[in-house]
Amino acid sequence: MMGRMARQETRTPASTSVRTTAAPEAREAPGSGAARPWRTRLLVVGIVLAALNLRPAITSLGALLEEVRDGLGMSGSTAGLLTSVPPLCFAVFGVTAPRLARRFGAGTVVCAGMAAIGTGLLIRPYAGGTAGFLAASALALMGIAVGNVLMPVIVKRRFPDRVGSMTGLYSMALALGTATAAAATVPMTGALGGNWRTGLAVWAALAAAAVLPWLSFARGRGEDRAGHTPAREDGTPAPAGRAPGPAPALRVTRSRTAWALAVFFGLQATAAYITMGWMAQIFRDAGVPAGRAGLLLAVTMVMGVPLAFVIPRLATRLPHQGPIVLALGVSGLLGYAGLYLAPAAGAWAWALLLGVANCAFPLALTMVGMRARTGAGVAQLSAFAQSTGYLISIPGPLLVGVLYQHSGGWGLPIALMAGLMIPQMIVGVLAGRDRTVEDEATAA
């Protein structure tokens, strides 16, 4: 499948993407005509493995949150703080990813990020106390943060004519990793002796596997050290014999579309991290057994596997992504209404509807690639939208924990989740308009 994906051509609207000249592999040995296809396939494998590791640190914790709270002596408010740590780390560390990629190369940074994920996941259950747990979680989340930002950049630069299909593959793998961790953590913990620490630590092995393919792309600075000829900052190849020169600075904050996309990203992230952190607990409090609650969370996450492949491909064929935004938002509103009225009786239906709503994430990633014309523009837009968006999302999971603890039920938290869906739909429609941040920044 991945071999076919690497070769498949997907058309993108001319107004949202400029075809860049793919530079040949630099300094390949004579007779190595298969080297470039081999490296392309290896890169696809690396992207898939990296994506698989971008959420298990969060959903595995959500499945065992009650056990972790009891084991570490956490209050409901502290647990809410714990579920707010991922977006905080994504905002703080994600903004550094483009600068690190320029200095060390995107492949090197992603490789180091996968190593950080594995180390953090291995250490955090045994770090001792809430502070140590949070610190080790932050290390893993640091690696996830740079992967979040750099994956759309790598897709845009290395697969400029297949942004939709490659974003779909990456998003599908991300959803699969998310769902697998949610579904498998509880039964795997039981099979390993019932200790929640072991059940969390085992996910470090998946991150270790993801390091291996990225070692081949962690050889130097920038894309030129990953096997491409030097390029300007705008993503176009530099003339032969001349050093790359910086393109005029893009002031992405002057673009209304960039701001709309950042707010859309933040609100969908708020919904996603509330779901990953608290939905299993909502079902458990409604009388659903722990194993089934984890499976329901997995159903919500696994909905992103097929839809994350379909939605980006559909989005790249539409001049305006607003209709997709509205369809996902309506699904979310219906899911929250059901979760409020009959959380246990209609649990499977609500899990499915909220899973559809959570597919706003692959749509947001696709729009990042479509709302900028160049690789450099995508890097800046990705860093801005994700860092700003994750900052916006920080209070949501924490506020849910506070409301839950002080109200003694889930009525107010669910009302908050449903209320946030309305502005998400509005800014999503604005972000889906057919325009680029380069044009808006220049006009401003």
Side-chain angles (χ1 to χ4, degrees), residues 135-203:
S137 295
L139 176 61
L141 294 167
M142 181 191 309
I144 296 173
V146 296
N148 283 338
V149 172
L150 292 180
M151 285 298 109
V153 179
I154 291 171
V155 166
K156 179 75 171 183
R157 288 180 175 173
R158 301 297 292 268
F159 305 95
D161 299 315
R162 298 186 292 279
V163 171
S165 57
M166 288 303 301
T167 301
L169 178 64
Y170 153 68
S171 301
M172 187 170 61
L174 189 150
L176 181 61
T178 304
T180 301
T185 297
V186 171
M188 190 163 52
T189 300
L192 294 173
N195 190 323
W196 64 266
R197 300 179 191 273
T198 306
L200 292 182
V202 72
W203 293 103

Short mmCIF file of all heavy atoms in Angstrom, two decimals, residues 135-203:
data_model
loop_
_atom_site.label_atom_id
_atom_site.label_comp_id
_atom_site.label_asym_id
_atom_site.label_seq_id
_atom_site.Cartn_x
_atom_site.Cartn_y
_atom_site.Cartn_z
N ALA A 135 7.07 15.74 34.49
CA ALA A 135 8.33 16.07 33.81
C ALA A 135 8.64 15.07 32.71
O ALA A 135 9.03 15.44 31.60
CB ALA A 135 9.47 16.12 34.83
N ALA A 136 8.48 13.77 33.00
CA ALA A 136 8.75 12.76 31.98
C ALA A 136 7.72 12.84 30.86
O ALA A 136 8.05 12.64 29.68
CB ALA A 136 8.73 11.37 32.62
N SER A 137 6.47 13.15 31.20
CA SER A 137 5.45 13.34 30.16
C SER A 137 5.83 14.50 29.25
O SER A 137 5.65 14.44 28.03
CB SER A 137 4.09 13.61 30.80
OG SER A 137 3.62 12.49 31.53
N ALA A 138 6.37 15.58 29.85
CA ALA A 138 6.78 16.74 29.05
C ALA A 138 7.88 16.38 28.07
O ALA A 138 7.91 16.90 26.94
CB ALA A 138 7.23 17.88 29.97
N LEU A 139 8.79 15.49 28.46
CA LEU A 139 9.86 15.06 27.54
C LEU A 139 9.26 14.34 26.34
O LEU A 139 9.63 14.62 25.19
CB LEU A 139 10.84 14.14 28.28
CG LEU A 139 11.96 13.53 27.42
CD1 LEU A 139 12.84 14.62 26.82
CD2 LEU A 139 12.79 12.55 28.25
N ALA A 140 8.33 13.42 26.59
CA ALA A 140 7.68 12.73 25.48
C ALA A 140 6.89 13.70 24.61
O ALA A 140 6.93 13.62 23.37
CB ALA A 140 6.77 11.63 26.01
N LEU A 141 6.20 14.62 25.25
CA LEU A 141 5.38 15.57 24.50
C LEU A 141 6.23 16.55 23.71
O LEU A 141 5.78 17.08 22.68
CB LEU A 141 4.46 16.32 25.47
CG LEU A 141 3.40 15.43 26.15
CD1 LEU A 141 2.75 16.16 27.30
CD2 LEU A 141 2.35 14.98 25.15
N MET A 142 7.45 16.81 24.15
CA MET A 142 8.37 17.64 23.38
C MET A 142 8.65 16.99 22.03
O MET A 142 8.65 17.64 20.98
CB MET A 142 9.68 17.83 24.15
CG MET A 142 10.70 18.70 23.47
SD MET A 142 12.34 18.61 24.29
CE MET A 142 11.90 18.91 25.99
N GLY A 143 8.91 15.68 22.06
CA GLY A 143 9.13 14.97 20.80
C GLY A 143 7.90 14.96 19.92
O GLY A 143 8.00 15.10 18.69
N ILE A 144 6.73 14.82 20.52
CA ILE A 144 5.49 14.85 19.74
C ILE A 144 5.29 16.23 19.12
O ILE A 144 4.83 16.35 17.97
CB ILE A 144 4.30 14.48 20.64
CG1 ILE A 144 4.43 13.04 21.13
CG2 ILE A 144 2.98 14.65 19.90
CD1 ILE A 144 3.40 12.64 22.16
N ALA A 145 5.63 17.28 19.86
CA ALA A 145 5.41 18.65 19.38
C ALA A 145 6.16 18.93 18.08
O ALA A 145 5.60 19.49 17.14
CB ALA A 145 5.83 19.66 20.46
N VAL A 146 7.44 18.53 18.02
CA VAL A 146 8.21 18.80 16.80
C VAL A 146 7.70 17.94 15.64
O VAL A 146 7.67 18.38 14.49
CB VAL A 146 9.72 18.60 17.02
CG1 VAL A 146 10.25 19.58 18.04
CG2 VAL A 146 10.05 17.17 17.45
N GLY A 147 7.23 16.73 15.95
CA GLY A 147 6.64 15.91 14.90
C GLY A 147 5.35 16.51 14.36
O GLY A 147 5.10 16.49 13.16
N ASN A 148 4.53 17.05 15.27
CA ASN A 148 3.29 17.70 14.84
C ASN A 148 3.54 18.78 13.80
O ASN A 148 2.84 18.88 12.78
CB ASN A 148 2.59 18.35 16.05
CG ASN A 148 1.87 17.36 16.93
OD1 ASN A 148 1.52 16.26 16.50
ND2 ASN A 148 1.64 17.73 18.17
N VAL A 149 4.54 19.61 14.06
CA VAL A 149 4.80 20.76 13.19
C VAL A 149 5.51 20.34 11.90
O VAL A 149 5.19 20.85 10.82
CB VAL A 149 5.63 21.82 13.94
CG1 VAL A 149 6.09 22.93 13.00
CG2 VAL A 149 4.82 22.40 15.10
N LEU A 150 6.45 19.42 12.00
CA LEU A 150 7.31 19.13 10.84
C LEU A 150 6.70 18.14 9.86
O LEU A 150 7.10 18.11 8.69
CB LEU A 150 8.67 18.62 11.31
CG LEU A 150 9.53 19.66 12.04
CD1 LEU A 150 10.85 19.04 12.47
CD2 LEU A 150 9.76 20.89 11.17
N MET A 151 5.74 17.32 10.28
CA MET A 151 5.15 16.38 9.34
C MET A 151 4.50 17.08 8.14
O MET A 151 4.74 16.70 6.99
CB MET A 151 4.15 15.47 10.04
CG MET A 151 4.74 14.38 10.90
SD MET A 151 5.74 13.20 9.97
CE MET A 151 7.37 13.68 10.55
N PRO A 152 3.64 18.11 8.33
CA PRO A 152 3.09 18.79 7.14
C PRO A 152 4.16 19.43 6.27
O PRO A 152 4.01 19.50 5.05
CB PRO A 152 2.16 19.86 7.76
CG PRO A 152 1.85 19.37 9.12
CD PRO A 152 3.08 18.65 9.59
N VAL A 153 5.24 19.90 6.89
CA VAL A 153 6.33 20.52 6.13
C VAL A 153 7.03 19.49 5.26
O VAL A 153 7.31 19.71 4.07
CB VAL A 153 7.33 21.20 7.09
CG1 VAL A 153 8.48 21.82 6.31
CG2 VAL A 153 6.63 22.25 7.94
N ILE A 154 7.34 18.34 5.84
CA ILE A 154 8.01 17.27 5.09
C ILE A 154 7.13 16.79 3.96
O ILE A 154 7.59 16.55 2.83
CB ILE A 154 8.38 16.12 6.05
CG1 ILE A 154 9.49 16.58 7.02
CG2 ILE A 154 8.83 14.89 5.28
CD1 ILE A 154 9.78 15.60 8.13
N VAL A 155 5.83 16.64 4.21
CA VAL A 155 4.90 16.21 3.16
C VAL A 155 4.88 17.23 2.03
O VAL A 155 4.93 16.87 0.84
CB VAL A 155 3.50 16.01 3.75
CG1 VAL A 155 2.46 15.89 2.64
CG2 VAL A 155 3.47 14.76 4.62
N LYS A 156 4.81 18.51 2.35
CA LYS A 156 4.74 19.56 1.33
C LYS A 156 6.01 19.59 0.49
O LYS A 156 5.95 19.74 -0.74
CB LYS A 156 4.52 20.91 2.00
CG LYS A 156 4.43 22.10 1.04
CD LYS A 156 3.11 22.14 0.31
CE LYS A 156 2.94 23.43 -0.47
NZ LYS A 156 1.64 23.53 -1.12
N ARG A 157 7.17 19.46 1.13
CA ARG A 157 8.44 19.57 0.42
C ARG A 157 8.78 18.32 -0.37
O ARG A 157 9.30 18.41 -1.48
CB ARG A 157 9.56 19.88 1.41
CG ARG A 157 9.49 21.29 1.97
CD ARG A 157 10.62 21.55 2.95
NE ARG A 157 10.61 22.95 3.39
CZ ARG A 157 11.40 23.43 4.34
NH1 ARG A 157 12.25 22.63 4.96
NH2 ARG A 157 11.33 24.70 4.68
N ARG A 158 8.53 17.15 0.20
CA ARG A 158 8.95 15.93 -0.46
C ARG A 158 7.87 15.33 -1.36
O ARG A 158 8.18 14.51 -2.23
CB ARG A 158 9.36 14.89 0.61
CG ARG A 158 10.50 15.35 1.52
CD ARG A 158 11.78 15.60 0.75
NE ARG A 158 12.35 14.37 0.22
CZ ARG A 158 13.24 13.62 0.84
NH1 ARG A 158 13.70 13.99 2.03
NH2 ARG A 158 13.71 12.53 0.29
N PHE A 159 6.60 15.70 -1.14
CA PHE A 159 5.50 15.19 -1.96
C PHE A 159 4.60 16.35 -2.37
O PHE A 159 3.41 16.38 -2.04
CB PHE A 159 4.69 14.14 -1.18
CG PHE A 159 5.52 13.00 -0.66
CD1 PHE A 159 6.01 13.02 0.64
CD2 PHE A 159 5.82 11.92 -1.46
CE1 PHE A 159 6.78 11.98 1.14
CE2 PHE A 159 6.59 10.86 -0.97
CZ PHE A 159 7.07 10.90 0.32
N PRO A 160 5.13 17.34 -3.09
CA PRO A 160 4.36 18.56 -3.37
C PRO A 160 3.10 18.33 -4.21
O PRO A 160 2.16 19.11 -4.12
CB PRO A 160 5.36 19.44 -4.12
CG PRO A 160 6.35 18.48 -4.71
CD PRO A 160 6.47 17.38 -3.71
N ASP A 161 3.07 17.27 -5.01
CA ASP A 161 1.91 17.00 -5.85
C ASP A 161 0.97 15.97 -5.23
O ASP A 161 -0.02 15.58 -5.86
CB ASP A 161 2.35 16.50 -7.24
CG ASP A 161 3.20 17.53 -7.96
OD1 ASP A 161 2.80 18.70 -7.94
OD2 ASP A 161 4.25 17.17 -8.51
N ARG A 162 1.28 15.53 -4.02
CA ARG A 162 0.45 14.51 -3.36
C ARG A 162 0.16 14.92 -1.91
O ARG A 162 0.16 14.08 -1.02
CB ARG A 162 1.17 13.16 -3.41
CG ARG A 162 1.42 12.66 -4.82
CD ARG A 162 2.01 11.27 -4.87
NE ARG A 162 3.37 11.20 -4.36
CZ ARG A 162 4.45 11.52 -5.06
NH1 ARG A 162 4.33 11.98 -6.29
NH2 ARG A 162 5.65 11.42 -4.54
N VAL A 163 -0.08 16.20 -1.71
CA VAL A 163 -0.32 16.70 -0.35
C VAL A 163 -1.54 16.03 0.26
O VAL A 163 -1.53 15.60 1.42
CB VAL A 163 -0.50 18.23 -0.37
CG1 VAL A 163 -0.96 18.74 1.00
CG2 VAL A 163 0.82 18.91 -0.75
N GLY A 164 -2.63 15.90 -0.52
CA GLY A 164 -3.85 15.31 0.02
C GLY A 164 -3.67 13.85 0.39
O GLY A 164 -4.03 13.44 1.49
N SER A 165 -3.10 13.05 -0.52
CA SER A 165 -2.97 11.62 -0.25
C SER A 165 -1.97 11.34 0.85
O SER A 165 -2.19 10.48 1.71
CB SER A 165 -2.58 10.88 -1.53
OG SER A 165 -1.38 11.39 -2.06
N MET A 166 -0.84 12.05 0.88
CA MET A 166 0.15 11.82 1.91
C MET A 166 -0.32 12.34 3.26
O MET A 166 -0.04 11.73 4.30
CB MET A 166 1.49 12.47 1.52
CG MET A 166 2.21 11.76 0.40
SD MET A 166 2.54 10.00 0.75
CE MET A 166 3.53 10.13 2.24
N THR A 167 -1.02 13.47 3.28
CA THR A 167 -1.59 13.94 4.53
C THR A 167 -2.62 12.94 5.04
O THR A 167 -2.73 12.69 6.25
CB THR A 167 -2.22 15.33 4.37
OG1 THR A 167 -1.23 16.26 3.93
CG2 THR A 167 -2.80 15.83 5.69
N GLY A 168 -3.38 12.37 4.11
CA GLY A 168 -4.35 11.35 4.50
C GLY A 168 -3.69 10.12 5.10
O GLY A 168 -4.15 9.58 6.11
N LEU A 169 -2.59 9.67 4.48
CA LEU A 169 -1.87 8.51 5.00
C LEU A 169 -1.31 8.80 6.39
O LEU A 169 -1.43 7.98 7.32
CB LEU A 169 -0.75 8.12 4.04
CG LEU A 169 0.12 6.94 4.48
CD1 LEU A 169 -0.69 5.67 4.55
CD2 LEU A 169 1.31 6.78 3.53
N TYR A 170 -0.70 9.97 6.54
CA TYR A 170 -0.13 10.37 7.82
C TYR A 170 -1.23 10.49 8.89
O TYR A 170 -1.10 9.98 10.01
CB TYR A 170 0.61 11.69 7.63
CG TYR A 170 0.73 12.58 8.83
CD1 TYR A 170 1.51 12.22 9.91
CD2 TYR A 170 0.06 13.80 8.88
CE1 TYR A 170 1.62 13.04 11.02
CE2 TYR A 170 0.16 14.63 9.97
CZ TYR A 170 0.94 14.25 11.04
OH TYR A 170 1.05 15.07 12.14
N SER A 171 -2.34 11.13 8.54
CA SER A 171 -3.43 11.30 9.49
C SER A 171 -4.07 9.96 9.85
O SER A 171 -4.48 9.74 10.99
CB SER A 171 -4.49 12.24 8.91
OG SER A 171 -3.94 13.50 8.60
N MET A 172 -4.17 9.06 8.87
CA MET A 172 -4.73 7.75 9.12
C MET A 172 -3.85 6.97 10.10
O MET A 172 -4.37 6.32 11.03
CB MET A 172 -4.86 6.98 7.79
CG MET A 172 -5.57 5.65 7.91
SD MET A 172 -5.96 4.92 6.28
CE MET A 172 -4.31 4.74 5.59
N ALA A 173 -2.54 7.04 9.92
CA ALA A 173 -1.63 6.36 10.85
C ALA A 173 -1.71 6.98 12.24
O ALA A 173 -1.68 6.28 13.26
CB ALA A 173 -0.20 6.43 10.32
N LEU A 174 -1.85 8.31 12.29
CA LEU A 174 -1.97 8.97 13.58
C LEU A 174 -3.24 8.51 14.30
O LEU A 174 -3.22 8.21 15.50
CB LEU A 174 -1.99 10.49 13.37
CG LEU A 174 -1.89 11.37 14.61
CD1 LEU A 174 -1.20 12.70 14.26
CD2 LEU A 174 -3.26 11.66 15.21
N ALA A 175 -4.35 8.43 13.56
CA ALA A 175 -5.60 7.97 14.16
C ALA A 175 -5.51 6.52 14.60
O ALA A 175 -6.05 6.14 15.65
CB ALA A 175 -6.74 8.16 13.17
N LEU A 176 -4.81 5.70 13.82
CA LEU A 176 -4.65 4.30 14.17
C LEU A 176 -3.86 4.16 15.47
O LEU A 176 -4.21 3.36 16.35
CB LEU A 176 -3.96 3.55 13.03
CG LEU A 176 -3.74 2.05 13.25
CD1 LEU A 176 -5.07 1.34 13.41
CD2 LEU A 176 -2.96 1.46 12.07
N GLY A 177 -2.77 4.92 15.60
CA GLY A 177 -2.00 4.88 16.83
C GLY A 177 -2.80 5.36 18.03
O GLY A 177 -2.72 4.80 19.13
N THR A 178 -3.60 6.39 17.80
CA THR A 178 -4.44 6.93 18.87
C THR A 178 -5.44 5.89 19.34
O THR A 178 -5.60 5.65 20.55
CB THR A 178 -5.19 8.18 18.36
OG1 THR A 178 -4.25 9.12 17.87
CG2 THR A 178 -6.01 8.82 19.47
N ALA A 179 -6.13 5.26 18.39
CA ALA A 179 -7.16 4.28 18.73
C ALA A 179 -6.57 3.03 19.35
O ALA A 179 -7.13 2.46 20.30
CB ALA A 179 -7.96 3.93 17.47
N THR A 180 -5.45 2.57 18.81
CA THR A 180 -4.83 1.36 19.34
C THR A 180 -4.44 1.53 20.80
O THR A 180 -4.67 0.65 21.63
CB THR A 180 -3.61 0.98 18.50
OG1 THR A 180 -4.00 0.78 17.14
CG2 THR A 180 -2.96 -0.29 19.03
N ALA A 181 -3.85 2.67 21.13
CA ALA A 181 -3.46 2.92 22.51
C ALA A 181 -4.67 2.99 23.42
O ALA A 181 -4.65 2.48 24.55
CB ALA A 181 -2.66 4.21 22.61
N ALA A 182 -5.76 3.60 22.95
CA ALA A 182 -6.97 3.70 23.76
C ALA A 182 -7.59 2.33 24.00
O ALA A 182 -8.05 2.03 25.12
CB ALA A 182 -7.98 4.62 23.08
N ALA A 183 -7.62 1.48 22.97
CA ALA A 183 -8.28 0.18 23.09
C ALA A 183 -7.42 -0.86 23.78
O ALA A 183 -7.93 -1.70 24.53
CB ALA A 183 -8.67 -0.33 21.70
N ALA A 184 -6.12 -0.84 23.53
CA ALA A 184 -5.26 -1.94 23.98
C ALA A 184 -4.65 -1.72 25.35
O ALA A 184 -4.19 -2.68 25.97
CB ALA A 184 -4.15 -2.16 22.95
N THR A 185 -4.63 -0.48 25.85
CA THR A 185 -3.90 -0.23 27.08
C THR A 185 -4.48 -0.98 28.27
O THR A 185 -3.73 -1.62 29.04
CB THR A 185 -3.87 1.28 27.38
OG1 THR A 185 -3.18 1.96 26.33
CG2 THR A 185 -3.18 1.56 28.70
N VAL A 186 -5.81 -0.95 28.44
CA VAL A 186 -6.41 -1.63 29.60
C VAL A 186 -6.22 -3.15 29.52
O VAL A 186 -5.72 -3.76 30.48
CB VAL A 186 -7.90 -1.25 29.74
CG1 VAL A 186 -8.57 -2.12 30.80
CG2 VAL A 186 -8.04 0.22 30.12
N PRO A 187 -6.59 -3.83 28.43
CA PRO A 187 -6.36 -5.28 28.39
C PRO A 187 -4.89 -5.66 28.43
O PRO A 187 -4.52 -6.68 29.02
CB PRO A 187 -7.01 -5.71 27.08
CG PRO A 187 -7.17 -4.48 26.27
CD PRO A 187 -7.33 -3.37 27.24
N MET A 188 -4.03 -4.84 27.83
CA MET A 188 -2.60 -5.14 27.86
C MET A 188 -2.06 -4.99 29.28
O MET A 188 -1.19 -5.78 29.72
CB MET A 188 -1.85 -4.21 26.90
CG MET A 188 -0.41 -4.58 26.68
SD MET A 188 0.27 -3.77 25.20
CE MET A 188 -0.16 -2.06 25.50
N THR A 189 -2.56 -4.01 30.02
CA THR A 189 -2.16 -3.85 31.41
C THR A 189 -2.55 -5.08 32.22
O THR A 189 -1.76 -5.57 33.05
CB THR A 189 -2.81 -2.58 32.01
OG1 THR A 189 -2.39 -1.45 31.26
CG2 THR A 189 -2.42 -2.41 33.47
N GLY A 190 -3.77 -5.58 31.98
CA GLY A 190 -4.20 -6.79 32.68
C GLY A 190 -3.33 -7.98 32.33
O GLY A 190 -2.97 -8.78 33.20
N ALA A 191 -2.96 -8.11 31.05
CA ALA A 191 -2.14 -9.23 30.63
C ALA A 191 -0.72 -9.16 31.19
O ALA A 191 -0.06 -10.19 31.36
CB ALA A 191 -2.09 -9.28 29.11
N LEU A 192 -0.27 -7.95 31.50
CA LEU A 192 1.08 -7.77 32.03
C LEU A 192 1.13 -7.74 33.56
O LEU A 192 2.12 -7.34 34.14
CB LEU A 192 1.68 -6.47 31.48
CG LEU A 192 1.93 -6.45 29.97
CD1 LEU A 192 2.36 -5.06 29.50
CD2 LEU A 192 2.99 -7.48 29.59
N GLY A 193 0.04 -8.16 34.19
CA GLY A 193 0.04 -8.26 35.65
C GLY A 193 -0.84 -7.25 36.35
O GLY A 193 -0.91 -7.26 37.58
N GLY A 194 -1.50 -6.38 35.60
CA GLY A 194 -2.42 -5.43 36.22
C GLY A 194 -1.80 -4.17 36.75
O GLY A 194 -2.49 -3.35 37.36
N ASN A 195 -0.50 -3.97 36.54
CA ASN A 195 0.18 -2.78 37.04
C ASN A 195 0.08 -1.67 36.00
O ASN A 195 0.56 -1.81 34.87
CB ASN A 195 1.65 -3.09 37.34
CG ASN A 195 2.35 -1.97 38.08
OD1 ASN A 195 2.10 -0.79 37.83
ND2 ASN A 195 3.23 -2.33 39.00
N TRP A 196 -0.54 -0.55 36.35
CA TRP A 196 -0.72 0.54 35.39
C TRP A 196 0.60 1.12 34.91
O TRP A 196 0.69 1.64 33.81
CB TRP A 196 -1.59 1.65 35.99
CG TRP A 196 -1.01 2.37 37.19
CD1 TRP A 196 -1.23 2.08 38.50
CD2 TRP A 196 -0.13 3.49 37.18
NE1 TRP A 196 -0.54 2.95 39.32
CE2 TRP A 196 0.14 3.84 38.52
CE3 TRP A 196 0.45 4.26 36.17
CZ2 TRP A 196 0.98 4.89 38.89
CZ3 TRP A 196 1.29 5.30 36.53
CH2 TRP A 196 1.55 5.62 37.87
N ARG A 197 1.64 1.03 35.73
CA ARG A 197 2.95 1.56 35.33
C ARG A 197 3.50 0.79 34.12
O ARG A 197 4.00 1.38 33.16
CB ARG A 197 3.93 1.49 36.50
CG ARG A 197 3.48 2.29 37.72
CD ARG A 197 4.48 2.17 38.87
NE ARG A 197 3.91 2.71 40.09
CZ ARG A 197 3.96 3.99 40.45
NH1 ARG A 197 4.56 4.85 39.67
NH2 ARG A 197 3.42 4.39 41.59
N THR A 198 3.37 -0.53 34.17
CA THR A 198 3.82 -1.34 33.04
C THR A 198 2.96 -1.09 31.81
O THR A 198 3.47 -1.02 30.68
CB THR A 198 3.76 -2.83 33.42
OG1 THR A 198 4.49 -3.05 34.62
CG2 THR A 198 4.35 -3.69 32.31
N GLY A 199 1.66 -0.93 32.02
CA GLY A 199 0.76 -0.68 30.91
C GLY A 199 1.05 0.61 30.17
O GLY A 199 0.81 0.71 28.96
N LEU A 200 1.56 1.62 30.88
CA LEU A 200 1.95 2.88 30.23
C LEU A 200 3.34 2.78 29.59
O LEU A 200 3.57 3.31 28.50
CB LEU A 200 1.92 4.03 31.24
CG LEU A 200 0.55 4.45 31.77
CD1 LEU A 200 0.70 5.64 32.73
CD2 LEU A 200 -0.40 4.83 30.64
N ALA A 201 4.27 2.12 30.27
CA ALA A 201 5.66 2.09 29.81
C ALA A 201 5.83 1.30 28.53
O ALA A 201 6.75 1.56 27.74
CB ALA A 201 6.56 1.52 30.90
N VAL A 202 4.96 0.32 28.27
CA VAL A 202 5.14 -0.56 27.12
C VAL A 202 5.09 0.19 25.80
O VAL A 202 5.67 -0.24 24.79
CB VAL A 202 4.09 -1.69 27.16
CG1 VAL A 202 2.70 -1.16 26.81
CG2 VAL A 202 4.48 -2.83 26.24
N TRP A 203 4.45 1.37 25.77
CA TRP A 203 4.34 2.12 24.52
C TRP A 203 5.65 2.75 24.09
O TRP A 203 5.77 3.24 22.96
CB TRP A 203 3.25 3.19 24.64
CG TRP A 203 1.90 2.57 24.77
CD1 TRP A 203 1.15 2.45 25.90
CD2 TRP A 203 1.16 1.94 23.73
NE1 TRP A 203 -0.02 1.78 25.64
CE2 TRP A 203 -0.05 1.46 24.31
CE3 TRP A 203 1.38 1.73 22.37
CZ2 TRP A 203 -1.02 0.78 23.56
CZ3 TRP A 203 0.41 1.06 21.63
CH2 TRP A 203 -0.75 0.60 22.22
#
